[in-house]
Amino acid sequence: MPKDSLTITDNRTGKQYELQIENGAIRASELRQIKVKPEEFGLMSYDPAFMNTASCKSKVTFIDGDKGILRYRGYPIEQLAEESNFMEVAYLVVHGELPKKEELENWKYQIMHHTYVHENIKKFVDGFHYDAHPMGMFTSTMAALSTFYPDAKEIFDPQSRQLQTYRLIGKVSTIAAYAYRHAMGFPYTYPDNDLSYAGNFLGMLFKMSEPKYKPNPTIEKALDVLFILHADHEQNCSANAMRSVGSSYVDPFSALAAASAALYGPLHGGANEAVLRMLKEIGSKDKIPAFIKEVKEGKSDKRLMGFGHRVYKNYDPRAKIIKKLADDVFEVTGKNPLLDIALELERIALQDDYFVSRKLYPNVDFYSGLIYQAIGFPVDMFPVLFAIGRTAGWIAQWQEMLLDKEQKIARPRQLYLGYDQRDYVPIVRR
Ligand code: ACO
C-alpha cells in the first residue's frame, strides 16, 4: 500500500476506499465515489467559510501562522520591507521573480506612464455625493474603468494581461487620490510621473498651489513599506473574490472591483479604523485595565481590536515592522497621542492570561491606523490605502487562477435542506 494515502471505511456499507494524499490534502471530488446506492450523487465535504478547504495550488504567498512567518514568492516580508521597494515587490508578486535592473526600470516606467485616467473619470467621480465613502467611490470607479478598456476582455492574451497589469497598478493610486480629493472638495491633481509610486500618490493627495510637489522622504518611505506589507496575503476574502469572480472570465477591472468590495467589509480591510475608534474611546492609559476587564468579560461583545487573527497565532510579522515604522513617521509628524495608549494596551494584553492562552497578538491593523492618521489620512481612506498595495496580489492571484489548467468557474456545492417538491397554491387558497 502506498504511504501517501488515506483509507476510509464507509460504515453505512462497510466498503473501504483509498484516497491519495497529495501536498497534504485529499481531492474532495474523490469523495464522490463513496455512495450507498449507485444513483446517489456521492459524498461531499461540508466546509462553510472554507475553514479547511484549499481552493487552489499557489506559488505566490506563504504564511505559517503559528510561527508568524509571511513570505512573498519565498522572500521573507522582513527582508522585503527593509531592503526592497513597492515597485520591485509588486513585480516580484506578479511575475514570481525579483526583476533585473532593466526589467525593473521598464516596469516602473510602464506603471508610472499608466497612471493617467480618462478625463471622463473626473466627471464620473464628481457625480458622487460630497460625503460618499472613498472606498465606495474607489470600488465603483474601478468597475467603471472596464468600460474604458474593452481590450481588457482579452484575458488569455499575455500582452493584454501585461497591459492591464500596468493600467491597474498605475490607476488604482490615481482613483484613490481622486476619491480623497472629491471627499475633501479639492481639485483633482494629475499624476507626476517623475516621482516614485508612493511619492506621486502623496502628491496627488496633498499637492496644493506649489508648482512641484516634494514628498517628505520619511513619509514616502513609510507609505512604500505599508504598500509592501499589504501586497498579498494568500487566500483571504478579497483574493478569493478576485479569483472567484475572475473565474467567470470577466475582465480584470470588474474582478478587481469585486475584490475591492470584499475588502470594504469591517471584518477584512476595515479593522484599523476600528482600532482608532477603540483607542479614542479608551482615552487615557489609566482607563486601560477597566477596558481589558470588559473585553475579558465579553461585555457587549467588546473585542480588543487589532488583536487576534484567523491565521496568525503568533505576533503578526507585519505588525512588528509597522511598529518600528511608526517611530520614524512620528519623528516627522509628531507623535500620535493615541500611541501611548496603544503601547500600554499591548504591554498589558501580552501579559494577560486571557490573551496569551488564546494566542491573541497584535495584527497588522493595530499600529497601521496610527501611522495613516499621523500622515493626515481620514479614517475612511484606510481601506483604500490597503487596496492600492493589495492590487499587486489580486493581479497575481487572478493570473495564477487563469493559467491553472485545473481551475474552472468557481461554483461551490450546497447541502439542500429545503422543501421537497410541493404543488403551487393559488393566492386565494393560501
Ligand atoms: N479580543 C478579545 N477576544 C478575542 C479577540 C479579540 N480581538 N479575538 C479573538 N478573541 C477570542 C474569542 O472571543 C474566542 O474566545 P473563546 O474561545 O473564549 O470563545 C477566541 O479568542 C477565538 O476567537 P475567534 O473569534 O474564534 O477567532 P477567529 O479566528 O474566528 O477570529 C479575528 C479572528 C476575526 C481576526 C478576531 O481575532 C477578531 O475579531 N479580532 C479583532 C478584529 C481585528 O483586529 N481584525 C483584523 C484582522 S487582520 C486583517 O484582516 C487585515
Side-chain angles (χ1 to χ4, degrees):
M1 190 196 286
K3 241 168 80 209
D4 283 340
S5 70
L6 175 76
T7 303
I8 296 179
T9 306
D10 185 348
N11 293 323
R12 300 171 302 176
T13 59
K15 272 196 202 160
Q16 280 205 336
Y17 301 84
E18 195 183 318
L19 272 48
Q20 287 302 311
I21 298 175
E22 195 191 331
N23 301 310
I26 57 159
R27 283 183 181 263
S29 55
E30 297 258 302
L31 297 172
R32 291 270 301 277
Q33 59 183 300
I34 303 177
K35 13 179 127 170
V36 177
K37 295 186 196 133
E39 66 274 18
E40 273 178 9
F41 183 79
L43 200 67
M44 287 190 276
S45 61
Y46 174 59
D47 190 12
F50 303 118
M51 295 290 285
N52 194 34
T53 294
S55 64
C56 61
K57 292 176 180 164
S58 182
K59 295 182 174 171
V60 183
T61 292
F62 173 79
I63 300 175
D64 183 328
D66 289 331
K67 296 196 184 116
I69 293 173
L70 170 61
R71 298 183 199 130
Y72 300 154
R73 304 283 188 182
Y75 296 100
I77 192 69
E78 294 80 3
Q79 289 180 22
L80 294 172
E82 186 73 30
E83 295 173 52
S84 186
N85 56 68
F86 177 62
M87 281 290 91
E88 190 175 64
V89 169
Y91 184 101
L92 170 72
V93 168
V94 171
H95 292 285
E97 294 296 336
L98 286 168
K100 296 199 175 71
K101 194 167 179 291
E102 315 79 67
E103 289 170 330
L104 180 60
E105 286 314 312
N106 180 53
W107 173 252
K108 278 200 280 198
Y109 178 90
Q110 292 292 350
I111 287 175
M112 294 313 293
H113 284 78
H114 283 93
T115 48
Y116 272 67
V117 291
H118 195 288
E119 283 292 286
N120 283 358
I121 290 286
K122 289 204 298 198
K123 293 188 209 147
F124 192 86
V125 178
D126 273 344
F128 288 108
H129 213 307
Y130 73 95
D131 60 353
H133 196 291
M135 196 60 177
M137 290 193 259
F138 176 82
T139 301
S140 38
T141 309
M142 287 316 293
L145 269 193
S146 80
T147 65
F148 288 78
Y149 302 110
D151 58 316
K153 289 185 173 43
E154 304 301 325
I155 54 171
F156 287 108
D157 173 356
Q159 275 182 330
S160 171
R161 278 204 308 277
Q162 186 65 73
L163 176 59
Q164 311 320 323
T165 299
Y166 297 142
R167 283 176 173 159
L168 282 164
I169 299 177
K171 291 178 205 313
V172 284
S173 63
T174 312
I175 289 178
Y178 278 16
Y180 170 79
R181 302 281 292 201
H182 177 73
M184 301 301 287
F186 295 153
Y188 305 116
T189 318
Y190 286 111
D192 180 346
N193 299 343
D194 294 340
L195 296 174
S196 73
Y197 187 81
N200 169 57
F201 179 54
L202 286 167
M204 289 191 291
L205 292 163
F206 300 130
K207 182 174 182 293
M208 294 311 276
S209 60
E210 63 272 42
K212 179 96 184 157
Y213 180 80
K214 283 202 193 82
N216 178 293
T218 307
I219 304 293
E220 185 182 4
K221 172 74 187 154
L223 198 57
D224 194 76
V225 173
L226 285 160
F227 288 154
I228 292 176
L229 299 183
H230 287 98
D232 195 53
H233 213 233
E234 51 116 310
Q235 305 312 312
N236 54 80
C237 181
S238 58
N240 183 53
M242 183 86 194
R243 279 178 175 263
S244 182
V245 173
S247 76
S248 73
Y249 293 169
V250 74
D251 69 88
F253 292 93
S254 301
L256 192 134
S260 169
L263 187 66
Y264 194 178
L267 292 189
H268 189 8
N272 46 17
E273 188 181 336
V275 172
L276 278 197
R277 261 189 273 115
M278 174 191 75
L279 295 174
K280 261 197 208 141
E281 184 197 320
I282 296 173
S284 59
K285 285 203 271 183
D286 56 307
K287 305 232 171 69
I288 292 174
F291 178 83
I292 297 247
K293 190 165 168 272
E294 263 189 81
V295 168
K296 284 162 53 176
E297 285 168 357
K299 265 194 196 155
S300 53
D301 276 344
K302 233 179 212 164
R303 288 199 159 195
L304 181 44
M305 298 311 287
F307 259 65
H309 199 278
R310 171 62 59 80
V311 178
Y312 294 116
K313 301 300 169 200
N314 200 325
Y315 215 103
D316 181 337
R318 299 168 300 174
K320 263 189 209 156
I321 298 166
I322 289 182
K323 197 174 167 188
K324 222 170 107 229
L325 205 61
D327 295 335
D328 302 341
V329 171
F330 295 154
E331 254 181 50
V332 176
T333 61
K335 198 165 75 177
N336 189 324
L338 299 175
L339 177 70
D340 285 339
I341 302 176
L343 287 169
E344 182 65 2
L345 197 54
E346 179 190 334
R347 192 188 67 76
I348 294 180
L350 292 184
Q351 288 176 359
D352 191 305
D353 188 54
Y354 175 93
F355 297 94
V356 175
S357 63
R358 288 172 179 76
K359 298 187 176 168
L360 301 170
Y361 293 87
N363 60 48
V364 67
D365 288 322
F366 193 65
Y367 289 104
S368 63
L370 292 174
I371 301 184
Y372 291 145
Q373 197 182 44
I375 295 176
F377 291 111
V379 281
D380 53 10
M381 271 300 282
F382 294 179
V384 182
L385 301 169
F386 193 151
I388 295 174
R390 186 55 57 85
T391 294
W394 286 333
I395 294 168
Q397 299 286 347
W398 166 71
Q399 188 154 256
E400 191 173 59
M401 177 276 303
L402 280 183
L403 302 181
D404 182 344
K405 295 265 183 290
E406 283 196 298
Q407 291 292 343
K408 288 173 181 287
I409 187 164
R411 205 310 188 175
R413 295 278 173 190
Q414 65 167 7
L415 304 179
Y416 178 71
L417 301 180
Y419 289 106
D420 204 348
Q421 182 178 324
R422 48 186 183 154
D423 288 328
Y424 178 78
V425 182
I427 196 159
V428 288
R429 284 207 277 117
R430 277 175 226 161

